[in-house]
């Protein structure tokens, strides 16, 4: 995972530098494709795999913190918009690529796939200590079924989960991609206000990421997923009624 993540970050950085130099639509598509390939190698699946190896008792909390970190990136939208306005969009994209190399690559190199690689137990405590610490309280949750890749692909449950989250991500990603153009072109907002709306939306989502992560260690993960997706569906329906900037309040 460490090697894959590091390579992905370098590819993303290269993609942003190429994006800053595009002069045609074809070059734009190529640069975006390179960024997409790199991001697929640095996506949540890698981090979730590492967290699953390292945590058992508080896995939901750890995953919540992981998505919290990813959400913090959305807060940079307003900074990126300001850089683009002040120095130009090409220079702003070069800056993003440099940050990827200077900040993200060292962080990726510090990753360890499993605690066993460092001679540590899962959760940082031995099975005996975990049993003693939880005596008289709720039992430590088990890891559940452990399937190989081929076994997972033959599992109906896997495809149900994959389809559910794929459809959910299709919808929410469409909003993220089109939110700024919609506000600027349809509502008449300034680019700064549109970028600010993305930042505010991301900031609000951070509470949900942490909250659902904490709740996942105590309650049904399927039920929590249903609640989260219901909230997203309601939000998408409300977004379609936005005609003025103040409508974003609800």
């Amino acid at each position: 995972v460490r090697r894959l993540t590091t390579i992905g970050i370098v590819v993303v950085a290269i993609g942003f530098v190429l994006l800053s130099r595009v002069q045609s639509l074809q070059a734009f598509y190529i640069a975006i494709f390179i960024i997409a390939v790199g991001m697929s190698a640095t996506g949540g699946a890698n981090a979730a795999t590492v967290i699953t190896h390292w945590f058992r008792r508080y896995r939901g909390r750890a995953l919540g913190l992981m998505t919290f970190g990813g959400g913090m990136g959305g807060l940079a939208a307003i900074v990126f918009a300001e850089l683009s306005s002040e120095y130009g969009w090409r220079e702003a994209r070069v800056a993003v690529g440099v940050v990827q190399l200077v900040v993200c690559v060292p962080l990726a190199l510090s990753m360890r796939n499993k605690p066993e690689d460092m001679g540590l137990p899962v959760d940082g405590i031995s099975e005996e200590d975990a049993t003693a610490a939880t005596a008289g309280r709720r039992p430590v949750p088990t890891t559940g079924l452990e399937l190989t890749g081929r076994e997972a692909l033959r599992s109906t449950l896997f495809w149900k989960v994959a389809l559910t989250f794929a459809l959910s991500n299709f919808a929410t990603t469409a909003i993220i991609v089109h939110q700024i153009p919609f506000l600027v072109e349809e509502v008449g907002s300034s680019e700064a206000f549109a970028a600010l709306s993305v930042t505010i939306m991301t900031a609000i989502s951070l509470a949900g990421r942490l909250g659902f992560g904490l709740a996942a260690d105590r309650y049904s993960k399927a039920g929590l997923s249903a609640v989260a997706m219901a909230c997203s569906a309601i939000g998408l329906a409300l977004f379609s009624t936005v005609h003025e900037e103040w409508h974003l309040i609800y």
Side-chain angles (χ1 to χ4, degrees):
V1 172
R2 175 176 54 183
R3 183 180 304 170
L4 179 62
T5 303
T6 303
I7 293 174
I9 292 171
V10 173
V11 172
V12 169
I14 293 173
F16 271 102
V17 173
L18 292 176
L19 185 60
S20 72
R21 295 292 176 263
V22 297
Q23 300 292 340
S24 65
L25 184 60
Q26 291 77 8
F28 172 80
Y29 285 143
I30 292 173
I32 291 297
F33 175 78
I34 292 174
I35 293 173
V37 170
M39 291 183 65
S40 67
T42 62
N46 285 357
T49 299
V50 174
I51 287 174
T52 300
H53 289 158
W54 275 85
F55 295 93
R56 181 180 302 147
R57 297 174 64 228
Y58 298 114
R59 184 174 294 167
R61 182 181 303 179
L63 288 170
L65 288 171
M66 182 268 291
T67 59
F68 182 90
M72 289 292 289
L75 298 179
I78 190 170
V79 177
F80 186 75
E82 185 64 27
L83 284 175
S84 298
S85 299
E86 185 72 20
Y87 301 103
W89 66 270
R90 295 183 185 276
E91 288 73 13
R93 279 152 181 78
V94 172
V96 172
V98 172
V99 169
Q100 294 284 324
L101 294 175
V102 174
V103 177
C104 298
V105 167
L107 290 175
L109 291 173
S110 69
M111 294 174 60
R112 296 295 182 271
N113 293 350
K114 299 178 180 179
E116 292 82 359
D117 295 342
M118 300 180 66
L120 299 173
V122 176
D123 292 324
I125 57 176
S126 64
E127 292 291 338
E128 295 78 7
D129 291 339
T131 301
T134 57
R137 294 185 290 175
R138 294 181 61 191
V140 176
T142 62
T143 56
L145 295 176
E146 294 190 8
L147 305 176
T148 64
R150 290 185 177 180
E151 290 172 339
L153 290 175
R154 292 196 297 266
S155 168
T156 302
L157 175 61
F158 169 81
W159 288 107
K160 286 181 179 179
V161 172
L163 181 60
T164 299
F165 282 92
L167 292 175
S168 175
N169 287 336
F170 282 154
T172 54
T173 301
I175 291 293
I176 295 172
V177 170
H178 295 98
Q179 183 170 341
I180 290 180
F182 169 76
L183 291 175
V184 172
E185 299 172 10
E186 300 295 331
V187 180
S189 303
S190 65
E191 291 185 359
F193 178 86
L196 178 62
S197 72
V198 174
T199 301
I200 293 175
M201 182 184 72
T202 303
I204 294 174
S205 76
L206 295 180
R209 295 167 191 258
L210 286 179
F212 278 103
L214 292 171
D217 290 326
R218 299 177 59 86
Y219 305 107
S220 166
K221 296 174 179 60
L224 290 170
S225 296
V227 171
M229 291 181 185
C231 291
S232 296
I234 294 172
L236 290 172
L238 290 175
F239 192 78
S240 66
T241 68
V242 173
H243 299 290
E244 301 287 343
E245 291 179 348
W246 67 269
H247 290 170
L248 290 173
I249 294 175
Y250 61 79

